[in-house]
């Protein structure tokens, strides 16, 4: 990696920070923290992070943090601290400054346990909520990680692992060199380095099976369960980059993960015999000759668990969350070092052929490449109304920077690229999952964080594949993205004391729910902006929803409650109403095709009353709608065409309202419901549901 590449990356990052400064984020350190956290989360290095600047003094103890994250699966608290200077070329950070930054962040956690929450200003709800959460959940924490974010260069390393209040504390740093390697070059595996000698106390013996054509080498080994759990503890989901499935949990008596747990508890020494093991790929591995004459693995670099993510996560959960011993657990592992073979094709082949506990479809791997490739093609070929600009879909991490660098070879090409695809028109995979999940009525999934929401999104694509995306679908996706980003900007400028990201997700999901998933996507695409009237509606809704969300949480921790489906179910009954005159995006006549996250059906000119009727339809369950259709038609109370509409609405209800009734359907359906009810044809149960 050249110093020039690092400097160019630092200059581009500083320009992004300067460009993002506004009334809501006037300080460059805060803007740097937010940008870096978002991009590291997108790269899979972090998950569910929140930027939060909080500094002060409790007694004689000075503290400061710039962000945080709670990793529930690993029982770990992450505290972020930032050193930002905007100097180019980047300068080396004195070791004293690095150590001081780590110390003051860790002091914040200590201050929380000493009653910091009660001493913060009442308006500082974000920091006080975090302080209360750390205080209340301290007993369940199994570790703390302090992470330094900086645009400087760290030459002296970071402190060794230590201890805080009887818990292990680790230190990590993302300096400009590491950020350039991860975000600039798009590398994601190369810095996963596993020192097996340090973790296991000795090299791991293996059997080497060389390839006949130099395409790959295979190493068969047995890893101690404790070592595998510690590796996952260190790197988390980054180990599963090529395997995007979510951890399936332990529910159900026949759950494979539950069986793994039973083996760990009752027969740990039999784990090796019962478990199919792992299949992993590595970029490099360091070997030595063991005492028996067999080779032994000292370290691995670029480790990726292609098959066996469930086993890995289950072992980690057993050790960290349930304090189960893994001392007698051993896991068979097949390690493949890819040489001349193509890694992508190798992974695809493994996914089809490897033994596995759970059936794995090819779509589980590599983030469902066909869908994202189609999306990339649509982005490249769908131009704005002026014919000069388009949106850039970053299917592979670092693709935007690579395209920008390629265009930089000629000044005219660089100008054309930046004019046609400015950074604000860049879409990532996490963006797509966030926008479509929110519009589909899954704001609680979005509140889980970018990576977890993406995993759920990809699983939904596999379970229920949508029609192939086309140009109109892509325009509607972008329109939802424009709406999402507009709401983000409005909420930030309104300076809510906490939970801005969650408010954004629930505002957009609430709007989709109220309007039946139908707005004038074409208008937003054409103007590349939402109307002032819709902006005003968002400004009216945001504080109302914030209050309702907090009321719904009650005594529960808000950030955790907002991740629950039960929260969204409750909020649907608390949504603000719509009043005339409606924003132009909500009053239109159009035919809308279906697709993932995009409602299907026709709509006519609508009013606030039409949207209220749609909402009323969605308060009635599928069984009642079927009863209205069957009994109403048989008795002659309603026309057979109206009965057909009621059956359609029943189907929408049975499908969890993924499709919603149109204004044309809602009115005759409700009229039919009233007519059948007045005729006394509804059963007592259905009658109660219709109330």
């Amino acid at each position: 990696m050249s110093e020039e590449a690092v400097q160019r990356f630092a200059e581009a990052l500083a320009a992004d920070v300067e460009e993002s400064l506004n009334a809501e984020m006037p300080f460059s350190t805060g803007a740097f923290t937010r940008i870096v956290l978002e991009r590291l989360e997108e790269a899979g290095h972090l998950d569910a992070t929140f930027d939060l600047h909080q500094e002060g003094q409790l007694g004689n103890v000075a503290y400061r943090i710039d962000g945080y994250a709670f990793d529930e699966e690993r029982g770990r608290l992450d505290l972020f601290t930032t050193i930002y200077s905007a100097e180019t070329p980047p300068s080396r950070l004195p070791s004293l400054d690095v150590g001081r930054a780590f110390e003051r962040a860790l002091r914040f956690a200590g201050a929380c346990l000493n009653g910091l929450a009660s001493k913060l200003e009442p308006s500082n709800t974000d920091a006080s909520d975090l302080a209360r959460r750390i205080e209340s959940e301290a007993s369940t924490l199994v570790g703390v990680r302090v992470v330094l974010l900086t645009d400087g260069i760290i030459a002296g390393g970071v402190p060794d692992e230590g201890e805080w209040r009887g818990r292990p504390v680790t230190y990590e740093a993302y300096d400009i060199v590491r950020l350039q390697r991860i975000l600039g070059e798009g590398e994601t595996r190369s810095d996963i380095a596993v020192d097996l000698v340090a973790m296991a106390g000795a090299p791991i013996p293996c059997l080497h099976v060389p390839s006949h054509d130099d395409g790959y080498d295979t190493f068969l080994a047995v890893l101690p369960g404790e070592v595998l759990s510690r590796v996952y503890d260190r790197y988390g989901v980054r180990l599963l980059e090529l395997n995007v499935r979510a951890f399936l949990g332990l529910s159900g008596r026949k759950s494979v993960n539950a069986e793994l747990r039973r083996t760990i508890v009752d027969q740990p020494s039999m784990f090796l015999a019962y478990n199919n093991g792992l299949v992993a790929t590595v970029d490099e591995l360091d070997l030595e000759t063991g005492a028996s004459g067999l080779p032994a693995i000292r370290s691995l670099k670029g480790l990726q668990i292609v098959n066996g993510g469930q086993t890995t996560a289950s072992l980690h959960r057993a050790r960290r969350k349930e304090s189960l011993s893994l001392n007698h657990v051993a896991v068979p592992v097949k390690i493949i070092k890819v040489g001349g073979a193509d890694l992508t094709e190798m992974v695809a082949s493994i996914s089809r052929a490897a033994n596995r506990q759970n059936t794995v479809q090819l779509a589980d791997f590599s983030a469902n490449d066909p869908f994202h490739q189609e999306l990339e093609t649509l982005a490249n070929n769908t131009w704005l109304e002026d014919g000069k600009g388009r949106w850039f879909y970053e299917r592979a991490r670092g693709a935007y920077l690579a395209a920008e660098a390629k265009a930089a070879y000629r000044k005219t090409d660089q100008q054309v690229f930046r004019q046609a695809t400015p950074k604000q028109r860049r879409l990532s995979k996490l963006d797509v999952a966030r926008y479509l999940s929110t519009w589909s009525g899954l704001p609680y999934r979005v509140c889980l964080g970018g990576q977890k929401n993406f995993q759920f999104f990809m699983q939904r694509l596999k379970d229920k594949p949508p029609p192939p995306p086309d140009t109109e679908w892509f325009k509607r996706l972008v329109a939802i993205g424009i709406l999402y980003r507009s709401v983000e900007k409005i909420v930030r400028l309104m300076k809510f004391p906490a939970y801005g990201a969650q408010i954004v997700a629930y505002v957009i999901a609430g709007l989709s729910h109220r309007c039946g998933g139908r707005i004038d996507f074409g208008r937003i695409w054409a103007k590349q902006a939402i109307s002032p009237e819709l902006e005003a509606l968002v400004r009216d809704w945001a504080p109302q929803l914030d209050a309702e969300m907090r009321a719904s949480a009650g005594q529960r921790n808000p950030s955790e409650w907002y991740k629950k489906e039960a929260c969204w179910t409750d909020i649907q009954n608390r949504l603000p109403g719509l009043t005339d005159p409606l924003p132009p995006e909500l009053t239109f006549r159009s035919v809308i095709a279906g697709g993932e996250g995009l409602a299907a059906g026709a709509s006519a000119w609508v009013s606030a009353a039409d949207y209220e009727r749609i909402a009323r339809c969605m308060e009635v369950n599928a069984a009642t709608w079927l009863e209205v259709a069957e009994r109403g038609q048989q008795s002659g109370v309603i026309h057979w065409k109206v009965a057909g509409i009621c059956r359609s609405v029943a189907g929408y209800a049975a499908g969890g309202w993924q499709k919603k009734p149109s204004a044309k359907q809602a009115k005759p359906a409700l009229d039919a419901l009233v007519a059948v009810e007045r005729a006394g044809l509804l059963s007592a149960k259905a009658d109660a549901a219709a109330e």
Side-chain angles (χ1 to χ4, degrees):
M1 182 190 308
S2 67
E3 292 184 5
E4 291 81 8
V6 172
Q7 181 169 338
R8 284 197 302 271
F9 177 79
E11 290 172 350
L13 185 57
D16 290 344
V17 170
E18 187 67 27
E19 185 180 324
S20 69
L21 296 179
N22 52 43
E24 183 270 336
M25 180 59 75
F27 303 111
S28 56
T29 297
F32 173 82
T33 302
R34 174 175 291 173
I35 288 172
V36 170
L37 288 179
E38 286 178 350
R39 294 182 183 178
L40 286 176
E41 186 170 332
E42 182 181 324
H45 280 241
L46 304 173
D47 191 32
T49 61
F50 297 90
D51 58 288
L52 169 63
H53 176 78
Q54 181 63 34
E55 63 178 316
Q57 190 163 317
L58 188 64
N60 296 324
V61 177
Y63 60 82
R64 171 181 160 177
I65 61 167
D66 293 279
Y68 72 95
F70 262 100
D71 190 328
E72 296 175 14
E73 185 176 307
R74 284 182 275 183
R76 188 179 69 194
L77 167 67
D78 289 346
L79 296 172
F80 302 104
T81 182
T82 300
I83 299 177
Y84 180 69
S85 65
E87 292 182 7
T88 52
S91 59
R92 294 180 179 272
L93 294 179
S95 298
L96 186 63
D97 290 351
V98 173
R100 187 182 296 118
F102 282 123
E103 288 173 8
R104 68 192 182 193
L106 195 57
R107 289 194 201 115
F108 174 82
C112 293
L113 299 190
N114 292 327
L116 176 62
S118 62
K119 296 176 175 60
L120 293 171
E121 292 292 331
S123 60
N124 194 357
T125 57
D126 204 351
S128 60
D129 282 348
L130 172 61
R132 275 191 293 271
R133 185 176 182 191
I134 292 175
E135 184 177 5
S136 65
E137 299 186 19
S139 61
T140 63
L141 284 178
V142 297
V144 177
R145 180 174 66 162
V146 186
V147 183
L148 173 62
L149 310 173
T150 179
D151 65 337
I153 299 173
I154 298 177
V158 299
D160 295 330
E161 182 173 325
E163 189 176 279
W164 175 80
R165 310 262 177 149
R167 301 165 184 81
V169 57
T170 58
Y171 301 93
E172 191 169 350
Y174 289 89
D175 68 353
I176 196 66
V177 176
R178 188 179 181 192
L179 289 173
Q180 193 277 335
R181 184 171 67 247
I182 297 168
L183 304 178
E185 297 179 354
E187 294 181 359
T188 58
R189 303 190 314 272
S190 63
D191 62 335
I192 296 180
V194 179
D195 187 339
L196 292 175
V197 175
M199 287 189 169
I204 301 296
C206 67
L207 177 64
H208 178 205
V209 184
S211 171
H212 294 295
D213 57 3
D214 297 323
Y216 66 94
D217 286 272
T218 304
F219 301 84
L220 306 178
V222 176
L223 280 180
E226 179 76 15
V227 170
L228 185 58
S229 173
R230 290 177 62 189
V231 172
Y232 185 78
D233 193 48
R234 173 68 177 81
Y235 294 106
V237 295
R238 290 174 56 209
L239 291 169
L240 314 178
E241 178 196 346
L242 300 176
N243 182 347
V244 300
R245 287 184 301 159
F247 181 51
L248 300 180
L250 296 167
S251 61
R253 288 184 301 170
K254 296 184 179 180
S255 163
V256 171
N257 299 315
E259 290 293 339
L260 291 176
R261 183 188 181 281
R262 260 192 292 276
T263 303
I264 294 169
V265 173
D266 300 330
Q267 298 175 289
S269 62
M270 297 301 294
F271 197 93
L272 181 65
Y274 293 164
N275 190 264
N276 288 339
L278 274 61
V279 180
T281 61
V282 294
D283 296 331
E284 299 176 21
L285 74 170
D286 181 22
L287 295 173
E288 67 174 38
T289 301
S292 64
L294 290 174
I297 306 172
R298 295 183 56 85
S299 64
L300 303 168
K301 187 175 183 181
L303 175 66
Q304 288 286 285
I305 297 174
V306 176
N307 176 257
Q310 301 294 305
T311 296
T312 305
S314 294
L315 288 173
H316 181 270
R317 182 187 183 96
R319 171 175 170 261
R320 280 302 199 185
K321 301 291 282 187
E322 302 182 64
S323 300
L324 299 178
S325 173
L326 301 182
N327 289 337
H328 300 292
V329 172
V331 184
V333 57
K334 177 168 64 177
I335 302 171
I336 299 172
K337 181 180 182 297
V338 179
D342 179 76
L343 179 61
T344 302
E345 179 56 35
M346 177 70 72
V347 169
S349 299
I350 292 171
S351 72
R352 288 190 295 265
N355 291 327
R356 48 198 177 261
Q357 291 86 27
N358 301 96
T359 302
V360 181
Q361 302 298 327
L362 183 58
D364 287 325
F365 295 86
S366 301
N368 199 350
D369 284 339
F371 173 81
H372 294 287
Q373 287 173 350
E374 289 180 48
L375 207 49
E376 184 180 47
T377 300
L378 286 169
N380 291 337
N381 295 287
T382 306
W383 294 84
L384 303 185
E385 300 298 305
D386 61 8
K388 299 177 181 178
R390 60 183 175 87
W391 282 71
F392 188 98
Y393 181 60
E394 193 170 40
R395 179 175 61 85
R397 250 186 320 274
Y400 184 90
L401 288 175
E404 188 178 42
K406 183 178 179 181
Y409 290 127
R410 292 174 58 185
K411 191 172 182 178
T412 54
D413 290 345
Q414 186 180 43
Q415 291 174 343
V416 170
F417 178 82
R418 289 179 176 174
Q419 289 174 358
T421 53
K423 290 180 181 177
Q424 62 266 29
R425 288 207 293 264
R426 169 185 165 272
L427 284 172
S428 70
K429 292 195 292 289
L430 295 191
D431 287 332
V432 171
R434 186 181 301 116
Y435 301 155
L436 295 182
S437 294
T438 308
W439 193 254
S440 296
L442 301 170
Y444 54 94
R445 295 286 197 214
V446 175
C447 290
L448 289 170
Q451 286 294 327
K452 289 182 179 178
N453 176 60
F454 179 75
Q455 289 174 336
F456 281 114
F457 174 77
M458 294 307 301
Q459 189 65 41
R460 288 178 64 220
L461 282 183
K462 189 197 83 169
D463 293 342
K464 189 178 180 181
D470 56 18
T471 300
E472 290 305 310
W473 183 94
F474 180 75
K475 289 180 178 180
R476 291 192 290 274
L477 165 65
V478 170
I480 295 172
I482 292 170
L483 172 62
Y484 198 103
R485 295 180 181 186
S486 300
V487 175
E488 278 185 317
K489 182 178 180 181
I490 292 168
V491 169
R492 285 177 181 172
L493 290 175
M494 293 180 77
K495 298 184 179 180
F496 287 91
Y499 309 118
Q502 292 91 332
I503 293 170
V504 170
Y506 275 83
V507 164
I508 295 172
L511 180 63
S512 175
H513 186 78
R514 270 281 182 253
C515 70
R518 295 174 173 83
I519 63 172
D520 193 343
F521 297 113
R523 185 185 195 280
I524 297 177
W525 166 264
K527 295 184 177 297
Q528 291 291 294
I530 64 174
S531 68
E533 294 85 352
L534 186 52
E535 289 180 353
L537 185 147
V538 170
R539 282 192 293 271
D540 179 53
W541 272 33
Q544 294 185 62
L545 273 175
D546 178 40
E548 295 295 350
M549 290 162 68
R550 288 179 178 275
S552 177
Q555 298 301 311
R556 291 170 286 234
N557 180 275
S559 63
E560 293 307 305
W561 176 240
Y562 300 158
K563 299 174 185 177
K564 308 293 185 183
E565 184 176 4
C567 175
W568 170 235
T569 301
D570 186 40
I571 292 299
Q572 289 178 64
N573 299 320
R574 300 170 176 258
L575 291 174
L578 295 171
T579 57
D580 292 319
L582 293 169
E585 289 89 345
L586 303 184
T587 54
F588 67 103
R589 183 183 182 89
S590 178
V591 176
I592 301 176
E596 170 63 28
L598 306 173
S603 69
W605 296 105
V606 293
S607 64
D610 289 318
Y611 288 121
E612 287 300 319
R613 280 190 282 267
I614 292 172
R616 174 71 183 102
C617 277
M618 294 170 63
E619 293 172 359
V620 180
N621 61 39
T624 300
W625 281 120
L626 282 177
E627 198 169 309
V628 169
E630 298 301 326
R631 297 192 177 189
Q633 183 177 350
Q634 289 173 5
S635 64
V637 171
I638 63 175
H639 192 275
W640 65 268
K641 289 185 178 179
V642 176
I645 292 174
C646 292
R647 291 188 184 95
S648 296
V649 175
Y652 300 160
W657 301 109
Q658 290 298 306
K659 291 183 179 180
K660 300 176 176 64
S662 66
K664 280 186 174 180
Q665 292 172 314
K667 189 176 187 306
L670 287 177
D671 289 343
L673 176 63
V674 172
V676 172
E677 190 174 20
R678 286 177 177 172
L681 298 175
L682 288 184
S683 64
K685 186 176 180 180
D687 202 28
E691 289 296 328

